[in-house]
């Protein structure tokens, strides 16, 4: 019996729009005939969907004619791919040696407290996700935290509110 | 191929170009440890143990991935290599449990062997050891367990599943020290894509994957699988009188891909406590078909003498009173060739009737009829291994991966690795359809329209093989004209397949250098079955795809020995070897050999026997190893027929539903308890070897028949099965060279004319068996039953991977029954939504012939308007629903198309005694018009107020309330 027939739709709430699915299918169609294209496909698809939950992996596997387990293997192997939703803003705290000795651990703990999540998680309102990084190559500026594309230097616990305010403000009022 | 010579440890070795250094090392007879290598897998180079030194090459390359080159100088072991190998193994076992003494796999553990060989040191291992081994063991699979703590990540299981089985249920997930062999989403194996074939268990070099019940066998016996027609060779591991393990034997090209779940885990039926061990005689106070108590209570045990006397007297009485033609003999495609030969000889010589048939009538009778007419031979034209050489494979009406799993694997491998193109024509989206280049999901019963449409396209595009057609075929002109009736538009309308897809299929098939058509019951089990097969034959002749490697006509035979049963003449019209009973010369030959006058009247077919019992033309039946109460179409009618018989003898290994109707039941041996031969779908005659002694008082089929025969005045004296085959070889030209001593190494493919002949892997090489290939004009005819308003769904029936036919064997296997214990009906999401049916609901399925209850499965595999059921379950017998109408030529019933309706079972129950509810079920909107309703009732309906409705129609079951609510909402009553 085909318990995992990939043409089946599972009973999950479909959180993506039709437009997003259309774009995903377009990416798959673009690469379908090229062997070894799973990684670029997943990369582009994650750009559309934000993360790679099982329904998205099914779509990719079926589209490219690959076993589901292979897609899952690749997704779990590369830290770039994620199966948990990402926040609108990605907060990364460096725990590299230089940052660590200058107290980045405390910054991380404070952020965990403020956002109410652990590293690797995403806030319920999907606004922030929090991650640990090991050295971003800016040891002279330690301790460092990176939010989206911005690198914040010599972060202090007291300055955190001020830094985060910037991203609170940029929120799209419609959301 | 060019040979390459290289030096290994100072010795010169020649190997074919393209070999690897490891191949050469093995050929030189030198041991080099490996953990990730296997000859059936592509080179991988993961374990790094096979490193060698090669002169002029940097570092220490892995020999399994390095191709040989002329003049290479290889050293397989140096001190450095020894040191590195030891470290590699120590790292691999650093976190491996030490419980080898109590590990199920230690007897065959390659890791243990390698660790001993390289001399792993406990002190080094202890230094690297982690404190705890805490990865969870997956015990969800009924057949085997996966313990990741023992896994060394060699990747053999992953690659076997992907490269050989073609399933890809598992792969590596995560990274670094967290790396795991894992299913999609990290689910337990039982909930994954795993099909439980256990191929990975056989290859796993450690105890990570090991069978649940491991008992080490005392000895192994090579034999042939008793399930499907592929005919996989296997090694039965025997401990005492029990089969405790099964492995693939791979002694020929049949099953290089191993075994499926039925072969490996489905043979415990042999030792099942339900096996009949003593003859049974019906009690005088237990009338047939009443089934008041436990079925076994209707019988009393008897000794063989009494039972055999009873059988001989019963048959003799009917013969004397009503003539020999009032007796029917049903032979068994589960039995050996020797059994079948003796059974038909008994019918013809001892009883004096040609009323002998078997279940080929229900599966490939149309193939035999049509292929004899078109080519002169009714069997598969090429070999299974030809799939590897084909450019295009056209699979029509065959769910190969479930019904012939090992051939299915071969098809998948050909598509994945040999670049073969795949066309699948099947109303359902079967597993092969997912990987097909073209999937033609035509309406059931429109195969001829589809094939003629494709052929017309091939002709219009000038892609047909004119040379082949003119030089080797006949009657082409009328056939060509007949295709005019199938322009694309008409075919699109008839079949429901988009014209682009038909065109694409025609282009792919027409342009192929080597193309093969593989088909199954989807073609044969129709009222147009014979014509369907003729259309397949036309397609192959038109494109010249016959008589060469990688081409051919491939009917996939169902039962393990259905080919052999046909060959042995268990058919009403022919003696062994398809020699016609109506031919006086042939008859004279058999009369002389058998010493009796033989009837020249063709006998009744299996399906006709059941239909004529009601007219008193058949009064006694002798059924060997068949279960027609579940396998006949319109099973209720067949059961009625059996009850009406004067005398019924059933010879079987279990008290089947048919045996329960018998006067005398004779206990036979299973395939594991006897010697003999099976002939598989590619005409290969293979040896079946006795692995255990007959259970209890059971006896071999041919011996039982011979004893009955002797009691009826026609003794048959044979000392062994081999002795019978000698007689077969003398009388049957196509089996002329089949002798047991020649079958030891993989068997022979008939026709094999004499002792010197090497067998025939490919038929019709230079000319067809009948001379010229004959084109037949065939036209599209609708199935006998078309959907109506009362029965709107088209029911297709078939099999599933885990069970076998009427399940008398597979339901008695622990593993198979654990995987698939319930019957179900597949219906589309659209129909389910319309009927308010949810996954897992008990539904009642009715046709004009009967009703069964089963579980609903919503799936995208079937199209809206269609449904699918397997016929394996006695408590939900799909054949209660099927249509017994026959193909006029081959007398095969139309199992594949019946009109049915499905309804929630609770609703049906409620509607039975409530006309209002049944009207509501049919048409909620109509209720408001046709019933004179009070305003409260009307508003209760409009608002879906269940409490109010209950007050009025009585209490409703919970599921019914949910259904009613959804249904009322769906109809949008407010607008009426």
């Amino acid at each position: 019996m085909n318990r995992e027939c990939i043409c089946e739709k599972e009973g999950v709430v479909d959180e993506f729009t039709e437009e997003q699915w259309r774009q995903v299918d377009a990416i798959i169609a673009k690469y379908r005939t090229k062997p070894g294209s799973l990684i670029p496909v997943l990369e582009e698809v994650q750009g559309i969907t934000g993360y790679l939950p099982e329904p998205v992996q099914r779509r990719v596997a079926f589209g490219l004619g690959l076993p589901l387990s292979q897609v899952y293997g690749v997704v779990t192997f590369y830290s770039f791919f994620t199966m948990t939703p990402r926040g609108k803003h990605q907060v990364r705290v460096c725990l590299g040696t230089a940052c660590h000795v200058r107290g980045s651990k405390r910054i991380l703990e404070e952020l965990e407290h403020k956002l109410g999540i652990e590293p690797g998680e995403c806030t319920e309102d999907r606004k922030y996700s929090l991650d640990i990084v090991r050295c971003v190559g800016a040891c002279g500026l330690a301790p460092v935290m990176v939010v989206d594309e911005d690198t914040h230097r010599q972060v202090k616990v007291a300055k955190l509110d001020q830094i985060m305010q910037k991203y609170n403000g940029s929120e799209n009022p419609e959301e | 191929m060019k040979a390459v010579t290289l030096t290994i440890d100072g010795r010169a070795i020649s190997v074919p170009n393209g070999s690897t250094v490891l191949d050469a090392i093995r050929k030189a007879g030198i041991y080099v440890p490996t953990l990730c290598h296997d000859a059936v897998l592509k080179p991988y180079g993961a374990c790094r143990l096979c490193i060698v030194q090669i002169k002029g090459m940097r570092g220490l390359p892995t020999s399994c991935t390095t191709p040989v080159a002329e003049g290479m100088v290889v050293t397989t072991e140096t001190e450095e290599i020894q040191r590195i190998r030891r470290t590699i193994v120590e790292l691999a076992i650093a976190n491996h449990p030490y419980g080898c003494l109590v590990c199920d796999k230690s007897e065959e553990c390659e890791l243990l062997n390698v660790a001993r060989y390289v001399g792993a040191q406990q002190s080094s291992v202890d230094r690297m050891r982690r404190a705890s081994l805490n990865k969870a063991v997956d015990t969800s699979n009924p057949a085997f367990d996966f313990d990741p703590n023992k896994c060394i990540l060699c990747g053999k299981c992953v690659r076997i599943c992907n490269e050989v089985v073609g399933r890809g249920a598992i792969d590596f997930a995560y990274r670094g020290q967290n790396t795991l062999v894992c299913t999609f989403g990290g689910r337990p194996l039982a909930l994954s894509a795993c099909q439980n074939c256990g191929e990975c268990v056989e290859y796993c070099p450690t105890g990570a994957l090991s069978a649940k019940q491991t008992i080490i066998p005392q000895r192994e016996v090579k034999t042939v699988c008793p399930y499907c027609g592929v005919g996989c060779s296997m090694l039965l591991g025997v401990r005492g009188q029990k089969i405790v393990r099964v492995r693939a034997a791979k002694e020929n090209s049949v099953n290089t891909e191993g075994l499926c779940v039925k072969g490996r885990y489905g043979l415990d039926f042999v030792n099942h406590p339900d096996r009949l061990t003593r003859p049974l005689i019906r009690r005088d106070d237990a009338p047939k078909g009443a089934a008041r108590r436990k079925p076994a209570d209707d019988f009393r045990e008897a000794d063989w003498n009494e039972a055999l006397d009873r059988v001989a007297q019963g048959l003799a009485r009917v013969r004397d009173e009503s003539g020999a033609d009032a007796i029917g003999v049903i032979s068994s495609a589960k039995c050996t060739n020797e059994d079948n030969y003796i059974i038909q000889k008994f019918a013809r010589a001892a009883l004096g009737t040609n009323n002998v048939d078997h279940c080929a009538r229900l599966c490939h009778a149309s193939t035999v009829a049509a292929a004899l007419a078109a080519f002169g031979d009714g069997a598969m034209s090429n070999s299974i291994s030809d799939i590897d050489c084909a450019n295009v494979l056209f699979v029509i009406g065959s769910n190969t991966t479930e019904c012939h799993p090992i051939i299915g694997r071969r098809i998948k491998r050909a598509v994945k690795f040999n670049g073969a193109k795949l066309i699948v024509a099947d109303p359902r989206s079967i597993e092969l359809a997912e990987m097909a280049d073209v999937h033609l999901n035509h309406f059931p019963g429109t195969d001829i329209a589809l094939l003629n449409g494709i052929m017309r396209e091939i002709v219009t595009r000038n892609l047909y093989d004119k040379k082949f057609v003119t030089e080797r075929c006949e009657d082409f002109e009328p056939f060509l004209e007949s295709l005019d009736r199938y322009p694309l538009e008409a075919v699109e309308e008839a079949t429901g397949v988009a014209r682009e897809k038909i065109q694409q299929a025609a282009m792919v098939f027409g342009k192929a250098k080597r193309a093969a058509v593989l088909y199954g019951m989807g073609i044969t089990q129709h009222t147009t079955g014979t014509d369907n097969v003729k259309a397949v034959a036309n397609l192959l002749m038109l494109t010249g795809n016959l008589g060469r490697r990688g081409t051919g006509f491939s009917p996939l035979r169902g039962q393990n020995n259905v080919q052999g049963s046909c060959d042995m003449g268990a058919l009403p019209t022919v003696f062994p070897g398809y020699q016609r009973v109506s031919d006086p010369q042939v008859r004279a030959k058999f009369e002389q050999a058998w010493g009796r006058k033989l009837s020249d009247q063709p006998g009744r077919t299996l399906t006709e026997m059941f239909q004529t019992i009601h007219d008193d033309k058949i009064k006694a039946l002798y059924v060997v190893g068949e279960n027609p109460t579940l396998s006949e179409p319109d099973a209720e009618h067949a059961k009625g027929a059996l009850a009406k018989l004067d005398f019924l003898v059933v010879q079987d290994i279990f008290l089947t539903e048919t045996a329960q109707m018998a006067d005398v039941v004779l206990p036979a041996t299973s395939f594991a308890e006897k010697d003999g031969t099976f002939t598989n779908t590619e005409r290969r005659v293979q040896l079946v070897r006795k692995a255990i002694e007959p259970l209890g008082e059971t006896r071999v089929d041919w011996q039982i028949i011979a004893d009955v025969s002797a009691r009826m005045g026609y003794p048959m004296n044979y000392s062994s099965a081999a002795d019978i085959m000698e007689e077969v070889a003398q009388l049957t030209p196509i089996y002329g060279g089949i002798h047991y001593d020649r079958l030891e190494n993989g068997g022979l493919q008939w026709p094999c004319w004499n002792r010197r002949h090497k067998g025939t892997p490919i038929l019709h090489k230079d000319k067809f068996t009948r001379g010229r290939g004959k084109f037949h004009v065939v036209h599209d005819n609708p199935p006998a039953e078309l959907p109506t308003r009362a029965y709107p769904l088209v029911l297709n029936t078939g099999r599933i991977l885990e069970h076998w036919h009427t399940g008398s064997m597979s339901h008695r296997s622990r593993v198979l029954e654990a995987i698939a214990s319930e019957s179900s009906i597949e219906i589309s999401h659209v129909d389910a939504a319309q009927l308010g049916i949810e996954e897992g609901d008990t539904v009642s399925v009715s046709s004009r012939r009967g009703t069964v209850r089963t579980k609903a499965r919503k799936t995208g595999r079937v199209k809206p308007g269609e449904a699918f059921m397997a016929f394996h379950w006695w408590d939900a017998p799909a054949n209660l629903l099927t249509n017994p109408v026959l193909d006029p030529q081959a007398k095969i019933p139309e199992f594949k198309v019946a009109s049915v309706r499905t309804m929630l079972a609770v609703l049906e129950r409620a509607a039975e005694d409530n006309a209002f509810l049944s009207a509501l079920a049919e048409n909620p909107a109509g209720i408001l018009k046709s019933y004179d309703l009070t305003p409260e009732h009307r508003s209760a309906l409009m608002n879906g107020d269940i409490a109010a409705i209950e007050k009025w129609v009585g209490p409703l079951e919970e599921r019914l309330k949910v259904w009613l609510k959804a249904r009322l909402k769906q109809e949008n009553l407010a607008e009426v």
Side-chain angles (χ1 to χ4, degrees), chain B residues 65-308:
Chain B
T65 56
T66 311
V68 289
E70 188 64 39
M72 248 179 189
V73 179
V74 180
T75 312
T76 59
E77 202 161 60
T78 63
E79 256 181 49
E80 190 193 8
I81 290 176
Q82 277 180 352
R83 203 188 65 240
I84 293 173
R85 283 189 186 147
R86 190 163 60 233
T87 310
I88 291 170
V89 174
E90 284 168 356
L91 281 166
I93 61 176
N95 288 311
H96 195 92
Y98 280 149
C100 295
L101 272 179
V102 289
C103 176
D104 287 339
K105 282 281 267 304
S106 53
E107 180 216 21
E108 45 194 313
C109 181
E110 195 53 30
L111 182 63
L112 193 59
N113 290 341
V114 169
R116 276 200 210 108
Y117 181 79
V118 301
Q121 301 290 314
Q122 172 143 23
S123 54
S124 329
V125 174
D126 283 346
R127 211 169 48 235
M128 295 184 279
R129 209 164 178 78
R130 254 203 328 259
S132 63
L133 303 169
N134 50 7
K135 290 177 187 161
V137 180
D138 181 354
T139 56
S140 65
N141 188 298
F144 52 85
D145 293 338
F146 172 55
D147 181 353
N149 299 302
K150 292 180 183 171
C151 174
I152 54 165
L153 302 174
C154 65
K156 264 189 180 176
C157 52
V158 170
R159 289 178 292 144
I160 284 287
C161 197
N162 213 351
E163 290 176 26
V164 177
V165 180
R167 189 67 186 159
I170 45 175
D171 205 335
F172 291 118
Y174 311 105
R175 181 167 23 126
Q177 64 170 11
N178 296 324
T179 310
L180 258 185
V181 170
C182 194
T183 63
F184 175 65
R187 290 185 175 80
L189 279 168
L191 298 177
S192 74
C194 170
Q195 290 179 326
N196 316 294
C197 68
E199 210 61 46
C200 54
V201 180
E202 200 165 303
Y203 285 86
C204 177
T206 75
L209 283 160
S210 61
K212 266 212 160 71
Q213 295 179 332
T214 307
I215 300 169
I216 308 293
Q218 289 166 324
R219 60 200 163 90
E220 285 194 315
V221 180
K222 193 157 71 177
T223 188
V224 180
C225 179
Y227 277 107
C228 78
V230 179
C232 301
S233 49
M234 48 170 47
L235 292 166
L236 299 184
V238 180
R239 177 94 162 240
Q241 293 301 313
K242 237 179 152 163
I243 298 172
V244 292
R245 185 180 75 188
V246 182
R247 295 195 299 149
K250 302 184 186 173
E251 67 168 9
N252 49 38
S253 56
V254 173
N255 60 321
T256 37
E257 287 82 8
L259 295 174
C260 73
V261 60
K262 289 194 289 287
R264 197 183 312 273
Y265 299 119
L267 299 185
D268 43 343
F269 73 87
V270 169
N271 295 99
H272 196 277
D274 284 357
R275 275 287 299 274
L276 294 172
T277 51
R278 293 199 68 193
L280 300 175
I281 293 179
R282 178 169 290 278
R283 286 176 188 280
D284 296 331
D285 57 350
K288 286 182 205 177
R292 297 153 301 167
R293 301 159 289 195
K294 272 197 345 220
D297 293 344
D298 288 346
F299 297 93
R300 65 179 169 84
E301 289 191 347
D303 66 14
W304 272 105
N305 271 329
E306 187 191 357
L308 290 171

Side-chain angles (χ1 to χ4, degrees), chain B residues 371-611:
Chain B
L372 277 174
F375 310 136
D377 247 320
M380 185 160 155
S381 70
N382 288 47
S383 304
I384 296 170
S385 58
D386 278 40
I387 292 171
D388 299 347
C389 321
N391 306 117
V392 171
L393 295 163
F394 184 4
V395 178
I396 180 164
S398 160
N399 185 5
T400 325
T401 51
E402 296 204 48
C403 300
H404 299 87
I406 302 304
I407 293 182
R409 283 182 196 174
R410 211 160 190 136
I411 295 173
K412 288 200 265 184
R413 286 183 78 169
V415 174
K416 263 190 175 169
F417 304 116
N418 306 351
K421 289 229 158 58
L422 177 65
I423 307 170
V424 173
D426 201 299
R428 290 197 300 156
S429 299
I430 52 173
E431 192 185 342
L432 282 180
E434 281 170 15
M435 68 190 306
D437 293 273
V438 197
H439 176 209
L440 310 162
N441 51 348
H442 54 311
F443 296 131
T446 59
D447 305 86
I448 293 178
L450 182 70
L451 289 167
N452 279 353
I454 291 174
M455 286 191 272
R456 188 173 181 276
E457 269 308 290
I458 289 177
V459 172
T460 0
R461 285 165 193 266
N462 218 4
L463 293 172
Y464 69 104
D465 189 338
K466 289 169 208 80
K467 189 159 169 273
F468 189 91
V469 167
T470 41
E471 286 177 8
R472 298 203 41 196
C473 306
E474 61 189 27
D475 293 351
F476 180 63
E477 300 308 322
F479 159 73
L480 194 61
E481 267 169 44
S482 74
L483 293 182
D484 289 345
R485 274 171 54 178
Y486 299 88
L488 273 180
E489 308 74 55
V491 175
E492 182 177 21
E493 202 191 309
T495 61
V497 180
R499 65 186 72 181
E500 295 76 29
K501 288 213 253 174
I502 299 170
Q503 281 174 320
Q504 202 190 342
M507 297 267 276
V508 170
F509 197 89
K511 285 184 178 166
K513 268 205 183 114
R514 291 185 298 274
V517 179
L518 297 101
Y519 71 88
M521 295 329 57
I523 283 289
T524 60
Q525 290 177 338
H526 287 282
T527 43
T528 55
T530 311
D531 286 350
N532 284 356
V533 180
K534 283 177 177 164
V536 170
N538 288 345
L539 174 64
L540 285 163
M541 289 189 288
L542 181 69
T543 51
N545 279 309
L546 279 162
R548 289 180 289 133
R549 189 121 171 90
T551 66
F553 167 79
S554 309
L556 301 174
R557 306 299 302 250
Q559 297 275 12
N560 56 327
N561 195 34
V562 67
Q563 182 65 52
S565 303
C566 291
D567 298 344
M568 288 303 109
L571 294 171
T573 50
V574 290
F575 288 116
Y578 307 97
Q579 305 175 79
R580 305 223 146 253
V581 293
S582 50
D583 183 336
Q585 251 180 326
V586 169
R587 219 167 42 245
K589 174 170 90 173
F590 281 94
E591 278 172 355
Q592 203 204 347
W594 293 348
R596 276 283 169 105
K597 182 99 186 88
L598 300 174
S599 164
D600 59 350
Q601 288 301 310
R604 288 181 208 280
T605 62
L606 174 64
T607 39
E608 286 172 328
M609 284 186 212
F610 277 89
Q611 290 177 351

